[in-house]
Amino acid sequence: MIRFSHVHKRFARTGAALQDVTFQVNKGEFVFITGPSGAGKSTILKLCFFEEQPSTGEVKVYGTSSATFKPADIPRLRRRLGVVFQDFRLLEDRNVESNVAFALEVTGTAPSQIGPRVSRLLAQVGLAAKATALPRELSGGEQQRVAIARALANDPVALIADEPTGNLDERATRGIFQLFRDINANGTAVLMATHDLDLVRRAGCRTIEVNRGQIVFDSASDGGFRGPDTPDAAEDDE
Amino acid sequence: MRLAVREALLAFRRAPMLSALSVTTIAFSLFAFGLFGLVALNIRNALQTVEDRVEIRAFIADGTGSEATAAALGDIGAFPEAASVRLVSQTQALDRARRELGEFSDVFEEGILPASIELRLKPGFRDPETVKAVAKRIEVYDFIDDIRFGEEWVEKLHRLRNIATLAGLALGLTFAVVAIIIIGSTIRMAVMARSREIAVMRLVGATNGFVRAPFLIEGFLKGTLGGLLALVLAWIALTVINRFVVQATFFDPWMGAVGVLAGACIGLAGSALSVGRHLKRV
């Protein structure tokens, strides 16, 4: 579903960010991307939702290839992904339900369906009682739940999360992580960048470690994971 | 579309100060341009009034028969350049001279002034070359004693008209460019203030067209409101000028509508450019 093949990414100002990165995330998988700051975790995630394109190599996400995509393909792809950031990226002047409804309005959901769907999403993330609150009236953990509800609005096939617990305390982190596990249990793949090694150890999920722009460890390499160069790698993009 | 209109209107409500600032800036930029427009319009009108008085007087020799004069009058009236032509008899010429030179009226005696043919020219035929050429064509009649058209005066007027047109164009263009730059910057500020919203829209899968639409509507509305406000300001300024300085003319409804439409178009184009540039970056 998400496949990186020999991806190199070079920025004009800062030089090489990724070097020969190859991995694949299959349907319904939960994958951590770990590594120190500046290792290239965020760049990998940005490549996943096509905010960046590789300098060389190919990124293929749910049938959209960095080698052949057209600009109009990007909105279509992003509607099939949910993206969550460390800084939540909520619209401060809209209340919780408007922030979630926004994602549905943008994608052309029928107005009659938006209300019930927003209520369900807020119930799913445990914020049904705070629908009319403004983001600044919520705790960090609650704001992140709103961001997750927004990311789930269009039933994504994969949730991409860049340090989603980076700004949260221990308790909120546990709550958010459990939410991700629940989402994953419903069949949505989760690709989560974090440097919280305790969390990674406790979770026992597949872990890809990045350092200086290269993959230095992939727990799936020991068993089960089929790299993109493997002849029998499943074409499960659609 | 409904959503885009709602978002555009909500933008006014969410940031009333910034929206008011944008509309006011657009209004004052267009007002400055409008004031210049009013000056240009009134100078043009004044020159037009003077130009309307450009005429050729062909003096008729004493003893010329009325048939010959009538025939010439018909011929001259058929000139493509002719707006009006009339015969001024000796008596009419004397009456006019006495009327115009009140206190010297008794110095004129009966029959001292010759009869004349007076020809006024259509707009577009009042430049020195055309006036001279037409005068030459009238001169060929052998009963014409003398012909006058204020050669020097016509040339000066023509030069003045050319200078006014050129200065008007240059100043108008400068004012328009300044207005566009100021309005463009104002709208760009408004777009930048909502860059976070644009980024979120794109993140959740909004197409560029979807992101653009509310900003274009907002730019159009701000431009229209700014244009209307500028028109009101110009009208107030003109009322003050009329009362305390000099009688001047205001834009006709058509010009006013064009002004407001120009504001709307600048608002629309400014928004399109700003959002377009922003979309390329985020």
Side-chain angles (χ1 to χ4, degrees), chain B residues 6-238:
Chain B
R6 192 199 74 186
E7 285 294 317
L9 295 176
L10 274 178
F12 277 88
R13 221 178 64 190
R14 288 200 185 103
M17 280 303 287
L18 191 62
S19 299
L21 187 71
S22 303
V23 172
T24 314
T25 312
I26 292 171
F28 275 92
S29 304
L30 289 175
F31 172 56
F33 184 62
L35 273 188
F36 162 76
L38 274 181
V39 171
L41 175 73
N42 281 282
I43 288 178
R44 201 189 70 179
N45 285 350
L47 280 174
Q48 190 68 44
T49 315
V50 178
E51 267 189 4
D52 285 344
R53 286 160 59 189
V54 170
E55 65 176 15
I56 298 170
R57 278 188 196 179
F59 296 101
I60 300 167
D62 278 349
T64 306
S66 60
E67 283 139 34
T69 323
L73 214 59
D75 287 350
I76 295 168
F79 284 4
E81 299 92 341
S84 68
V85 63
R86 69 183 188 121
L87 179 72
V88 179
S89 67
Q90 284 187 312
T91 322
Q92 283 168 329
L94 187 67
D95 285 347
R96 186 162 68 186
R98 282 180 173 157
R99 208 171 42 244
E100 286 172 6
L101 302 166
E103 54 185 302
F104 301 107
S105 60
D106 51 347
V107 300
F108 297 111
E109 290 171 16
E110 202 76 35
I112 195 173
L113 295 173
S116 63
I117 291 173
E118 290 184 0
L119 170 67
R120 293 216 162 167
L121 298 168
K122 285 179 187 162
F125 295 108
R126 292 163 180 166
D127 57 289
E129 283 73 31
T130 311
V131 177
K132 223 181 275 179
V134 173
K136 276 220 168 83
R137 264 152 56 205
I138 298 172
E139 230 171 0
V140 296
Y141 293 98
D142 51 11
F143 55 81
I144 297 296
D145 246 0
D146 191 11
I147 194 153
R148 291 191 190 166
F149 53 88
E151 191 172 355
E152 209 176 301
W153 178 77
V154 169
E155 269 173 14
K156 268 187 191 159
L157 182 66
H158 189 64
R159 244 192 340 261
L160 191 66
R161 191 180 201 282
N162 284 347
I163 291 169
T165 308
L166 271 178
L169 274 177
L171 276 172
L173 209 66
T174 311
F175 270 105
V177 168
V178 169
I180 288 171
I181 290 172
I182 292 175
I183 294 169
S185 311
T186 310
I187 289 176
R188 198 163 158 67
M189 255 170 54
V191 172
M192 296 292 276
R194 289 169 61 196
S195 59
R196 192 181 178 88
E197 194 174 325
I198 294 176
V200 172
M201 276 178 154
R202 283 166 61 88
L203 196 66
V204 294
T207 57
N208 283 353
F210 187 93
V211 176
R212 245 187 224 115
F215 286 99
L216 295 189
I217 294 170
E218 196 185 331
F220 181 81
L221 286 177
K222 282 179 178 173
T224 308
L225 285 175
L228 284 171
L229 189 57
L231 205 61
V232 171
L233 288 172
W235 183 79
I236 293 171
L238 189 92

Side-chain angles (χ1 to χ4, degrees), chain A residues 1-5 7 21-29 31 33 44-45 47-50 58-64 77 80-82 157-161 189-192 206 208 225-228 234-238:
Chain A
M1 193 172 68
I2 298 175
R3 196 170 68 188
F4 279 53
S5 305
V7 170
V21 170
T22 297
F23 69 93
Q24 178 167 322
V25 176
N26 294 315
K27 275 183 183 167
E29 245 189 311
V31 181
I33 297 184
I44 288 176
L45 298 189
L47 286 162
C48 287
F49 56 93
F50 280 49
E58 186 194 16
V59 175
K60 198 168 183 185
V61 182
Y62 208 72
T64 304
L77 170 67
R80 308 181 91 168
L81 303 172
V157 286
L159 193 63
I160 293 164
V190 177
L191 186 58
M192 176 172 163
R206 177 181 167 196
I208 296 173
F225 172 62
R226 291 170 296 176
E235 270 298 327
D236 58 352
D237 293 322
E238 293 297 334

